[in-house]
Amino acid sequence: MPAEAKGTSDKAAVAFVHHVIDVLNYSASTLDAQAIAHLATADCRACEAIVTRTNKIRQAGGRIVGGAWTPVESTALGTGNTGERQVQVVVDYAPQKVLETTDADVIRHPGGRTVYTFDVERHGSKWRLQGVQGVAQG
């Protein structure tokens, strides 16, 4: 966890979300989803879906190429609860190729820009990811 993400401020929440994005990029490129699972709460459905899909691709001998996310602009939004934040991030992402199995057809995703809302909360002295939702920019 980066030092900037260890506080309780809006700035720390944003730093945590940027760390989550780094971990998502790592998980996709290595097909190792354990790190993202450790950053999430048990009820994060989006996180569970990412972990499940990544593990399925790895177990089937598939791979993911490209698709790295780059945060462009981030804003922390209060939720009324001092232990929770929503962080909106404008994300640019590169084109991606996904092979779900060793002999599958390539699934191509074009690059683009999406606004994601990350729901984060404090668990003890650490932030945890509760959910992620995105709205594509067109």
Side-chain angles (χ1 to χ4, degrees):
M1 186 70 59
E4 299 84 13
K6 292 187 178 178
T8 59
S9 68
D10 288 351
K11 188 176 179 178
V14 169
F16 172 72
V17 168
H18 285 205
H19 176 64
V20 167
I21 291 170
D22 289 342
V23 170
L24 287 168
N25 287 336
Y26 169 82
S27 293
S29 67
T30 63
L31 298 179
D32 177 0
Q34 286 185 346
I36 195 65
H38 288 142
L39 295 176
T41 62
D43 58 345
C44 179
R45 291 185 192 134
C47 304
E48 182 180 334
I50 291 166
V51 169
T52 299
R53 183 156 191 255
T54 302
N55 286 338
K56 183 177 177 183
I57 292 169
R58 179 180 42 79
Q59 291 166 354
R63 66 178 195 251
I64 299 173
V65 178
W69 289 15
T70 303
V72 176
E73 183 179 337
S74 304
T75 305
L77 307 171
T79 64
N81 179 336
T82 58
E84 295 180 354
R85 300 282 194 294
Q86 285 189 322
V87 179
Q88 286 187 335
V89 184
V90 177
V91 173
D92 283 345
Y93 50 94
Q96 183 180 67
K97 297 177 188 176
V98 178
L99 286 88
E100 293 184 337
T101 65
T102 55
D103 58 351
D105 290 336
V106 175
I107 300 168
R108 297 178 190 277
H109 300 283
R113 178 171 278 191
T114 298
V115 177
Y116 286 95
T117 301
F118 292 79
D119 295 311
V120 298
E121 70 178 12
R122 296 288 293 178
H123 276 249
S125 63
K126 297 179 181 181
W127 290 102
R128 290 287 181 246
L129 182 60
Q130 288 181 296
V132 182
Q133 296 179 13
V135 178
Q137 300 296 288

